[in-house]
Amino acid sequence: MRRVLILLAVLVLSACGSPADQQMAESVSIHDQWASAGDGQMAAVFGTLVNDGPREARIVSGSSPAAGMVEVHEVAGATGAKTMRPKAGGLVLPAGGSHDLVPGGDHLMLMDLTAPLSAGADIELTLQFEDGSTLPVTVQVRDFAGAGENYQPHG
């Protein structure tokens, strides 16, 4: 009987896996997420990303039926005009930490919109992590005029 109990304990513990085996998306959530409304070619996604895991997670891109592509962006420029551009290396979420996606700062950019985004609508978005894992989320569309950035595309 003792051997059976030990064997069961070993099986249960091995099924749990170690934190190092956990995919990045499993420990990340997004809160208060929203996208800017508009009928142009681009829209931004904001919110608070939270990493409850024991190791850093990195978001490198995304996808959405509402856009031809999704990029991780930052806003640069200490003085004068602010420039929005792709963020090299993606968004790093520290272990046990959070990262705010905000107007005038880091955000996700919906590029080549497939249709206008109307305030009050919901869109689907899938976040892509460095390890290949994904996190599907629903994002509410809200009215937002922008934060006065200029866009600087890849290349």
Side-chain angles (χ1 to χ4, degrees):
M1 181 68 166
R2 183 174 178 198
R3 287 183 188 168
V4 171
L5 290 175
I6 292 172
L7 180 59
L8 283 174
V10 169
L11 288 173
V12 168
L13 290 174
S14 65
C16 293
S18 70
D21 295 335
Q22 185 178 33
Q23 293 189 311
M24 290 179 181
E26 293 178 39
S27 63
V28 174
S29 57
I30 186 168
H31 305 278
D32 302 320
Q33 64 271 23
W34 61 280
S36 56
D39 57 4
Q41 291 295 307
M42 299 181 287
V45 175
F46 308 106
T48 300
L49 294 158
V50 177
N51 179 3
D52 290 321
R55 65 182 178 121
E56 155 183 304
R58 184 180 302 261
I59 298 172
V60 294
S61 68
S63 62
S64 174
M69 77 175 124
V70 177
E71 293 181 344
V72 176
H73 277 200
E74 65 183 348
V75 175
T79 59
K82 293 187 176 189
T83 301
M84 178 177 44
R85 64 183 181 203
K87 185 174 180 84
L91 292 171
V92 177
L93 308 175
S98 63
H99 189 90
D100 290 327
L101 304 177
V102 296
D106 291 344
H107 58 280
L108 301 171
M109 201 71 196
L110 304 173
M111 312 285 291
D112 302 326
L113 295 178
T114 57
L117 298 182
S118 301
D122 288 334
I123 59 169
E124 299 305 313
L125 172 65
T126 301
L127 304 178
Q128 177 80 42
F129 290 80
E130 181 179 53
D131 66 357
S133 61
T134 59
L135 177 65
V137 298
T138 301
V139 179
Q140 182 186 65
V141 179
R142 298 180 187 168
D143 282 326
F144 178 66
E149 311 95 343
N150 296 310
Y151 175 63
Q152 177 184 351
H154 273 334

